[in-house]
Structures are given as structure tokens and as C-alpha cells.
Amino acid sequence: MVYTWAADTALLMDEKQYEAYYRQIPKWRQEKADRIQMREDRALSVGVWALYQKALRESGLSEKMVFNLSHSGHYVLCSIADTETARTGCDLEKTGIPRLKVARRFFCRSEWDYIQKKASEDERKEAFYRYWVLKESFMKATRLGMKLPLDAFAIRLSEGEDPVLTKKPDTIEGRFYFREYPEPERGFFAAVCSEDPDMAENLRWMTL
């Protein structure tokens, strides 16, 4: 089973709150945050690790379990599998102006066709962000990240069904599954990709 939590880090923009959470995370993570210039990004770095620590405490899962983190805007995301072996990746992306030129150039043709055939601007925007977080989550699950070209694998979207991976490099073994967690009212889309097909139906929201 793969569980996914989300939290709002807006409170960490207060310097006292930031310092309180900063002191609770490991030294190596503190040092990582210290290297970040933008205050908002430092808050995300601290906040996402605080979410991970709280998720471990409340779920009883072990630090040995596979996990992945993501953040965008002022929201953070954490996925933890109840296994040490199932590769898992998650991604969260704040919505804005969709980068359709990026999709046209770097997505697979079938994915770009799906986006551009949408009737309205809002539908095209939603399709873009769905694809973006799904593709990022797969790239993170494979542990290749940006080393994996966006058009080296393809995902099919169908109404009423979970996304399906229809193409991937032969060098990437195993089967991968997806779960979407759209939160348009909060201004973001999120997705999880895992070798474990059993994923929580809903996000678990936490207060940091």
C-alpha cells in the first residue's frame, strides 16, 4: 500500500515558526535548506521533511520504507510505501500558465494530441498538468529523474480510468501504476507512480 500526505507550509513564512520546524529536522536537511536563497523555497524544503517525519510518526511506518517527496507553491507532498522494494515517485505542481510549447516539443505525440484536442482552454490546462505530474512521478519512481527524456515513455489518459503507461524504455524493468490527486480548488495537481498498484484513494491532509 502506498499512502500519500499533503500539507500547507504557509505558516513557515513566519520566522519563528520556521525556526521551530528547522530545529526538528536532521542536520543534513538543515544544511540543504541553508543553501537555498529564496525564503519561500527554504520553507518548502523544511516543510516537506517535517511532513515526512510527522507521516512516519502517525502511520507507524518505518524509515526503511520507500518514500518520495515533492513541493510546489506553498504545498508539500509525501508518499510512503509499506514496503522496502516497490519503487515509488510523487509529484505536485502548482497551476499557472500551462507550458504548452514544452508539451508540444517534448511530450509524446499521443499525449500532445490528447491535450490539443480538448475543446476549451481550461480543459487543455487541466490535461497539461495531469500529464506533467504523472510524467514527473514516473521519472522519479524510476530514479532516473531528468535523465529520462519526456518522450521516452507514454501515458494514456481515459475518462473514468486510472492512467496507463503504454510505452517505456526496455531498460526500465517492472510494471508501474498511477494514482491522481487533483486539487484544482487549491491550485495544484498531484500524482503518484509506484510498482505497488495498491495506492490510497485520497490524500491525507496534515497540519504541520
Side-chain angles (χ1 to χ4, degrees):
M1 183 76 171
V2 180
Y3 305 92
T4 301
W5 293 263
D8 188 335
T9 64
L11 80 165
L12 295 185
M13 291 304 295
D14 177 84
E15 194 62 32
K16 290 184 178 179
Q17 292 284 359
Y18 176 84
E19 288 297 328
Y21 282 90
Y22 177 88
R23 290 193 294 269
Q24 296 175 23
I25 64 175
K27 183 174 179 56
W28 69 268
R29 192 75 190 191
Q30 293 176 346
E31 293 172 348
K32 180 177 181 178
D34 292 341
R35 292 192 294 269
I36 299 173
Q37 293 185 352
M38 296 293 293
R39 182 179 178 184
E40 293 86 352
D41 294 337
R42 288 199 303 272
L44 287 171
S45 182
V46 170
V48 76
W49 198 262
L51 174 63
Y52 170 59
Q53 291 179 318
K54 188 171 184 179
L56 285 178
R57 290 194 301 269
E58 295 198 2
S59 66
L61 293 170
S62 166
E63 293 182 2
K64 296 181 180 180
M65 302 303 183
V66 175
F67 75 96
N68 198 235
L69 308 173
S70 183
H71 53 71
S72 183
H74 52 88
Y75 291 104
V76 291
L77 192 73
C78 168
S79 291
I80 307 176
D82 60 359
T83 172
E84 298 180 34
T85 58
R87 289 175 290 175
T88 299
C90 68
D91 190 62
L92 180 151
E93 187 72 22
K94 177 185 176 183
T95 56
I97 299 174
R99 289 165 282 180
L100 296 181
K101 290 183 179 179
V102 172
R104 182 173 57 195
R105 181 176 178 183
F106 295 107
F107 284 12
C108 291
R109 179 59 185 268
S110 60
E111 296 166 341
W112 170 241
D113 287 345
Y114 180 88
I115 294 171
Q116 69 169 346
K117 287 179 181 177
K118 290 298 183 180
S120 69
E121 182 177 338
D122 285 344
E123 288 176 328
R124 288 190 291 273
K125 177 179 179 179
E126 177 181 325
F128 169 80
Y129 280 105
R130 287 180 67 191
Y131 266 126
W132 187 263
V133 295
L134 286 165
K135 291 177 83 68
E136 285 274 357
S137 69
F138 175 72
M139 294 160 72
K140 295 172 74 175
T142 64
R143 300 167 185 166
L144 293 173
M146 295 307 295
K147 294 179 181 178
L148 182 63
L150 289 168
D151 62 355
F153 62 99
I155 300 170
R156 184 179 68 236
L157 296 181
S158 302
E159 297 301 325
E161 298 180 6
D162 288 332
V164 176
L165 186 68
T166 58
K167 182 184 81 170
K168 65 179 175 65
D170 293 336
T171 53
I172 299 176
E173 299 180 351
R175 295 189 64 182
F176 292 85
Y177 306 87
F178 295 97
R179 176 74 68 175
E180 296 181 274
Y181 299 105
E183 292 278 351
E185 70 283 358
R186 288 188 167 98
F188 74 80
F189 282 80
V192 176
C193 175
S194 179
E195 290 182 291
D196 186 343
D198 191 11
M199 289 179 264
E201 291 189 10
N202 301 301
L203 286 179
R204 297 184 175 191
W205 279 91
M206 279 190 172
T207 300
L208 294 179

